Amino acid sequence: MDRIILRYRKLVFFTWFLTLDLIMFGAFVRLTDSGLGCPDWPGCYGSVTPLGSLHDIHAANSAMPFGPVSLSKAWIEMIHRYAGSILGMLIIAIVYMAWRYRGRLGRSPALATAALVIVCVQGAFGAWTVTHQLMPVVVTAHLLFGMLTLAVMTWLAARERPYQALGPQAARWRGWMVGGTALLVVQIALGGWVSTNYAALACMDFPTCQGQWVPPMDFAGGYSIIRALGELPSGEMISQYALTAIHWVHRNFAFLVFVYLGILGFRLRTEPGLRGPANLMLGLLLAQLLTGLTTIFFEWPLLIAVLHNGGAAGLVLATVTLLVRLSTAGRPALRTLGAVRPEGSPA
């Protein structure tokens, strides 16, 4: 086995794993209100670590004991930034190998290069999240680019994993899978909008919302894009009706995604080469339903909320893997470092 190819594969899989971890840790940062734990960027009050900013952190915390700045929040925020920097360097290494050894790898370096561009944009939105004081549209865009980074890294990793080749009949599911992925992206954006506007507890009952199927809502206020956190474009405080609209749309769109991907997953699992990621998608759909309901009934416990975000990332992983495999339907599986699984073996 070519050592360069093996190193490239290990690097891709490790970077993919770190990307998934970083998305979940980013959710932890947001849900613990640590996004402004260091209210400047890229350092913390101009220092590389919170240890060099203890005086400033203590002063900010004394002025606002329940505000966004504390030593623990500063460390949470900075650890997230350190991990993001490591991710960027790993992707640079992937791009370097993809270009230098493109002949031996047998891959176009275009996808790896796209990953680098995306992670740079993601880093920019991370900086703007701080400088724009957690502006909801910026934070939501930061989440979406994080998911896009995961999607591209999943595509890179899925190409390196052996799987059973699919027959031409599987090609009929490509369009359906693209549609399901598009629905998932919309749902993740809606979920990000809920989280960044702190609207998770706007409806405390289920399946109704505030005792009604269609409660009073302010869609115009809830989905006004350019505004500060907790405010309307006019500068007024955002209303409960607007927060209810944000929550209600996310909750009801989730049913459409659940039904669509659920039916599609059951159809896809009949294909041996798709059974593994299809089962993963079905399991994660059920987990998302349970964690979403638990978030409501137990008033947004931190662990469950982080797992709910992680479940969304897992669905991105599963759907992209299915797309990669369906893209080869009717052709031999993409060249990998190992042998393709024999007929009838587990996916």
Side-chain angles (χ1 to χ4, degrees):
M1 184 180 296
D2 192 313
R3 291 172 59 188
I4 294 297
I5 297 176
L6 182 59
R7 288 174 184 172
Y8 176 79
R9 183 187 187 189
K10 289 180 177 179
L11 179 61
V12 166
F13 275 95
F14 179 76
T15 307
W16 165 82
F17 181 73
L18 180 61
T19 304
L20 180 61
D21 289 345
L22 191 58
I23 286 175
M24 293 192 67
F25 193 75
F28 180 75
V29 172
R30 185 170 66 256
L31 294 166
T32 55
D33 296 323
S34 300
L36 295 178
C38 291
D40 55 338
W41 193 91
C44 188
Y45 288 99
S47 298
V48 177
T49 75
L51 293 177
S53 310
L54 294 178
H55 176 75
D56 295 294
I57 293 171
H58 177 73
N61 186 246
S62 298
M64 295 182 64
F66 300 101
V69 179
S70 69
L71 184 58
S72 60
K73 290 180 179 180
W75 273 114
I76 291 171
E77 171 64 4
M78 289 306 296
I79 290 172
H80 180 62
R81 295 183 193 179
Y82 300 150
S85 299
I86 293 171
L87 176 64
M89 289 186 285
L90 289 172
I91 292 178
I92 290 173
I94 289 173
V95 173
Y96 170 77
M97 293 191 71
W99 279 98
R100 180 171 180 179
Y101 303 109
R102 56 188 180 276
R104 291 166 71 175
L105 294 172
R107 308 284 195 202
S108 167
L111 192 60
T113 305
L116 179 58
V117 173
I118 291 167
V119 82
C120 288
V121 176
Q122 164 73 348
F125 273 105
W128 295 333
T129 293
V130 176
T131 58
H132 286 77
Q133 300 289 299
L134 305 183
M135 187 177 184
V137 67
V138 175
V139 180
T140 302
H142 187 50
L143 169 67
L144 290 174
F145 272 96
M147 291 295 185
L148 183 57
T149 304
L150 177 64
V152 175
M153 288 308 308
T154 299
W155 197 289
L156 284 168
R159 296 192 310 183
E160 302 300 330
R161 186 166 183 236
Y163 60 90
Q164 183 171 325
L166 301 173
Q169 74 282 356
R172 70 186 186 276
W173 298 114
R174 287 176 190 158
W176 292 99
M177 196 66 243
V178 170
T181 304
L183 289 175
L184 178 63
V185 170
V186 173
Q187 178 63 1
I188 289 173
L190 292 172
W193 198 245
V194 170
S195 180
T196 56
N197 283 280
Y198 297 91
L201 301 182
C203 298
M204 296 293 292
D205 52 334
F206 182 86
T208 58
C209 176
Q210 300 172 10
Q212 303 177 63
W213 292 106
V214 184
M217 290 177 280
D218 175 16
F219 290 97
Y223 288 94
S224 54
I225 302 301
I226 308 301
R227 57 179 173 80
L229 176 63
E231 296 181 1
L232 297 173
S234 62
E236 300 176 83
M237 182 179 294
I238 193 168
S239 68
Q240 182 65 30
Y241 297 128
L243 296 177
T244 301
I246 294 170
H247 182 112
W248 187 87
V249 170
H250 175 62
R251 175 189 289 193
N252 286 279
F253 197 82
F255 288 111
L256 173 61
V257 176
F258 185 86
V259 172
Y260 185 101
L261 289 181
I263 294 174
L264 184 59
F266 274 107
R267 295 294 183 90
L268 294 179
R269 68 188 303 274
T270 61
E271 295 281 349
L274 301 176
R275 187 172 297 132
N279 284 336
L280 176 62
M281 184 172 72
L282 291 171
L284 288 170
L285 284 172
L286 180 60
Q288 284 297 87
L289 176 63
L290 294 175
T291 55
L293 293 177
T294 304
T295 296
I296 295 170
F297 292 135
F298 291 91
E299 299 186 11
W300 213 20
L302 177 61
L303 176 61
I304 299 300
V306 171
L307 289 176
H308 194 61
N309 280 264
L315 284 171
V316 170
L317 186 160
T319 54
V320 170
T321 301
L322 288 167
L323 283 172
V324 173
R325 296 190 181 185
L326 285 169
S327 70
T328 68
R331 306 195 306 270
L334 291 168
R335 183 184 68 78
T336 61
L337 301 183
V340 177
R341 286 187 175 90
E343 183 73 21
S345 64

